Amino acid sequence: MKTLPDGPPDAEAAPNSACGSSVGSDDRRQFSSPPVALAEKAPELEPRDEYDDLLDALGRTEEQDHRIAFHEAGHIIVARVLGHPLGGATINPGDGYEGKVWGAGHEAAFGQGRGDASSVRAVLAPAMPSDGEDRTAVADIFGSVYTQCVELLAGSASETLMLGECDSRAAGDDRRQARELLLLFCSSEEAIETFIAHCELAARDFLIPHGDLLTVLSITLRIRRTILGTDLDQIIADTKARSSAEMERWRRKQWQQRVENAATFQCEKVSRVFGMGKTSQTVTSG
């Protein structure tokens, strides 16, 4: 917030330079604006609204709220691209999270602490094959872990794609959970980091064609705060329908432009042909 000075800058110098003579203290008063006048000239601050009060209650800045919304929007889109149904999403903080996206029928499991990747790994680790054993029987586990890691890294990929960097606390927890799952079949730190980098790149590739949807979901999440799975699907369907309609209008406009250009080209070609014919006749008759 800018502070108001006691008087206008160079209040004494301005009269001297204008009049060419010194000015006494009584004369200087007529050039000094009173504090009330200065306050009236200062730009008015924007009035606070409910969103400002909400952010204060959550202990967040507006930039942090935007980042979390983009983060969760990334999780939503990649989950649906991979065909996984959703139970809902929220950007309001809770016990141990700043925002979350949950699968259909799994909200209670997450709420009771049974949805963390570490507990999943503890259950699956005994079933994993040892060196030399056939892995065909657990191929579905490998596939499931891969897609889950891509979903987990989608939040940070969305932040980086839309905001240029990723620094939210949620991204750190996503990477931790991905590491827990990758320990099922990665035996070195280098292998884990390489796999995480690949999953984040794969998530980004899923998100790139849906930049408009990322923006729509992030704005809607900031307004509604919590959205159930059926409503998320409706928002996605409506946004894609509008995008398709806009694309169709653009294609028709481009096609119409090509038709007009072709007609213009044909007219110019005919004009040149007839113009050359007239020139030849003139030369012959001459």
Side-chain angles (χ1 to χ4, degrees):
M1 181 182 294
K2 295 183 179 180
T3 58
L4 297 177
D6 295 333
D10 300 325
E12 298 181 11
N16 287 339
S17 59
C19 301
S21 61
S22 61
V23 182
S25 58
D26 292 337
D27 295 325
R28 281 199 297 269
R29 292 194 191 100
Q30 63 182 329
F31 296 105
S32 300
S33 300
V36 175
L38 283 175
E40 293 175 352
K41 296 177 183 178
E44 295 183 0
L45 297 177
E46 294 184 2
R48 291 178 58 84
D49 55 21
E50 294 181 2
Y51 185 55
D52 295 319
D53 295 335
L54 174 65
L55 292 179
D56 287 345
L58 297 177
R60 283 182 190 168
T61 65
E62 186 173 352
E63 190 275 335
Q64 290 170 336
D65 205 51
H66 287 194
R67 184 174 294 278
I68 292 169
F70 274 122
H71 184 98
E72 303 307 331
H75 286 309
I76 293 168
I77 292 175
V78 171
R80 297 305 290 126
V81 167
L82 293 174
H84 298 163
L86 295 176
T90 183
I91 61 170
N92 286 334
D95 186 14
Y97 62 84
E98 290 293 325
K100 72 173 181 177
V101 175
W102 61 91
H106 291 87
E107 182 178 12
F110 281 102
Q112 296 171 16
R114 299 196 303 271
D116 192 89
S118 58
S119 58
V120 174
R121 180 171 67 87
V123 172
L124 294 177
M128 300 304 291
S130 302
D131 293 345
E133 295 181 352
D134 185 17
R135 283 163 166 71
T136 304
V138 293
D140 58 334
I141 295 179
F142 282 90
S144 179
V145 167
Y146 173 66
T147 56
Q148 183 62 35
C149 286
V150 173
E151 281 190 46
L152 285 168
L153 275 300
S156 57
S158 177
E159 288 186 49
T160 303
L161 184 64
M162 302 302 290
L163 302 174
E165 60 179 357
C166 174
D167 63 359
S168 71
R169 286 180 289 176
D173 187 67
D174 290 338
R175 292 179 70 87
R176 178 192 64 79
Q177 297 210 54
R179 290 175 62 86
E180 290 283 354
L181 293 175
L182 291 175
L183 284 171
L184 286 169
F185 51 82
C186 290
S187 56
S188 70
E189 185 68 22
E190 183 180 5
I192 291 174
E193 289 300 323
T194 301
F195 208 115
I196 286 177
H198 163 75
C199 290
E200 189 165 0
L201 185 60
R204 190 200 68 173
D205 288 346
F206 283 134
L207 292 171
I208 285 176
H210 304 290
D212 57 338
L213 184 55
L214 271 173
T215 301
V216 170
L217 282 171
S218 68
I219 293 174
T220 308
L221 281 168
R222 295 204 313 271
I223 295 172
R224 296 174 58 175
R225 313 307 293 179
T226 299
I227 307 176
L228 296 180
T230 53
D231 292 335
L232 287 172
D233 287 344
Q234 188 62 52
I235 293 169
I236 292 171
D238 291 345
T239 302
K240 300 314 292 181
R242 286 194 298 270
S243 296
S244 296
E246 185 64 31
M247 181 61 69
E248 182 62 25
R249 284 193 292 270
W250 179 83
R251 287 173 179 168
R252 292 183 180 184
K253 184 177 180 180
Q254 291 295 308
W255 175 253
Q256 183 63 32
Q257 186 64 48
R258 291 190 183 98
V259 171
E260 293 174 358
N261 290 343
T264 302
F265 174 78
Q266 187 66 23
C267 290
E268 292 176 351
K269 183 179 179 181
V270 171
S271 298
R272 285 198 299 269
V273 170
F274 277 97
M276 291 176 63
K278 292 180 180 179
T279 303
S280 301
Q281 291 176 3
T282 304
V283 173
T284 302
S285 60

